[in-house]
């Protein structure tokens, strides 16, 4: 049975996976997630890459927003289960490292506002000025006088 810390770590990993799909950071998350699951075994890593690609394809091909939301929940749970199974198999020392990596994935890729300027699923109409980052400056002038 998983402890609360392990359950939270598995959930963090599942959240990071589904939130990163379709963003600029997907390639990095995909690689890191597969390495974590593979634990040095190229066959396991390739299998994880295939499953991550299937998740991305399913979420990208969603027919509408309701379908996408349903698939987000489903795939978040699938990846939470994947990470929970991984954590159960690991020895305590390895488990601590895996938990740290899962929480790092959520911080970096989980869409919680600290993901390095990643912005996704936005719609803009008309003139738009959009900026992410820390300590940045932006001046916008729209129209003929700009």
């Amino acid at each position: 049975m998983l402890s609360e810390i392990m359950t939270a770590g598995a959930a963090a990993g599942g959240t990071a996976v589904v939130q990163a799909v379709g963003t600029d950071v997907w390639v990095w998350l995909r690689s890191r997630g597969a390495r974590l699951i593979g634990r040095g075994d190229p066959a396991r890593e390739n299998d994880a890459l295939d499953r991550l690609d299937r998740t991305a394809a399913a979420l990208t091909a969603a027919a509408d927003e309701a379908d996408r939301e349903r698939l987000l929940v489903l795939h978040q749970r699938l990846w939470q289960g994947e990470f929970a199974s991984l954590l159960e198999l690991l020895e305590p020392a390895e488990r601590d490292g895996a938990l740290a990596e899962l929480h790092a994935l959520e911080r970096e890729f989980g869409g919680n506002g600290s993901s390095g300027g990643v912005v996704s699923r936005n719609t803009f109409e008309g003139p738009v000025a959009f900026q992410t980052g820390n300590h940045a400056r932006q001046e916008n002038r729209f129209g003929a006088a700009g």
Side-chain angles (χ1 to χ4, degrees):
M1 186 164 147
L2 292 177
S3 70
E4 287 181 29
I5 292 171
M6 290 169 55
T7 300
T15 298
V17 168
V18 299
Q19 293 298 315
V21 169
T23 70
D24 293 340
V25 298
W26 172 247
V27 173
W28 291 305
L29 178 123
R30 179 183 175 271
S31 175
R32 284 177 57 186
R35 268 197 319 269
L36 177 64
I37 292 166
R39 298 183 340 265
D41 180 334
R44 270 197 309 242
E45 187 171 329
N46 284 332
D47 182 55
L49 288 169
D50 288 342
R51 288 181 286 128
L52 285 161
D53 288 343
R54 286 195 302 270
T55 289
L59 295 176
T60 303
D64 56 31
E65 192 60 30
D67 189 36
R68 181 173 170 72
E69 288 301 318
R70 181 186 61 78
L71 288 170
L72 280 169
V73 170
L74 172 67
H75 283 271
Q76 191 277 337
R77 287 181 183 156
L78 288 171
W79 284 103
Q80 180 178 351
E82 174 73 29
F83 292 127
S85 294
L86 170 68
L87 292 171
E88 286 182 320
L89 295 173
L90 297 176
E91 296 297 321
E94 289 179 299
R95 186 179 302 138
D96 290 344
L99 281 167
E101 178 68 10
L102 288 169
H103 286 293
L105 290 175
E106 183 185 41
R107 277 191 313 278
E108 295 172 34
F109 307 117
N112 62 1
S114 62
S115 57
V118 173
V119 179
S120 65
R121 293 191 286 261
N122 292 286
T123 302
F124 300 100
E125 296 178 19
V128 174
F130 191 86
Q131 177 177 336
T132 64
N134 296 321
H135 311 294
R137 179 186 163 113
Q138 179 175 346
E139 287 186 34
N140 303 303
R141 294 183 181 93
F142 296 105

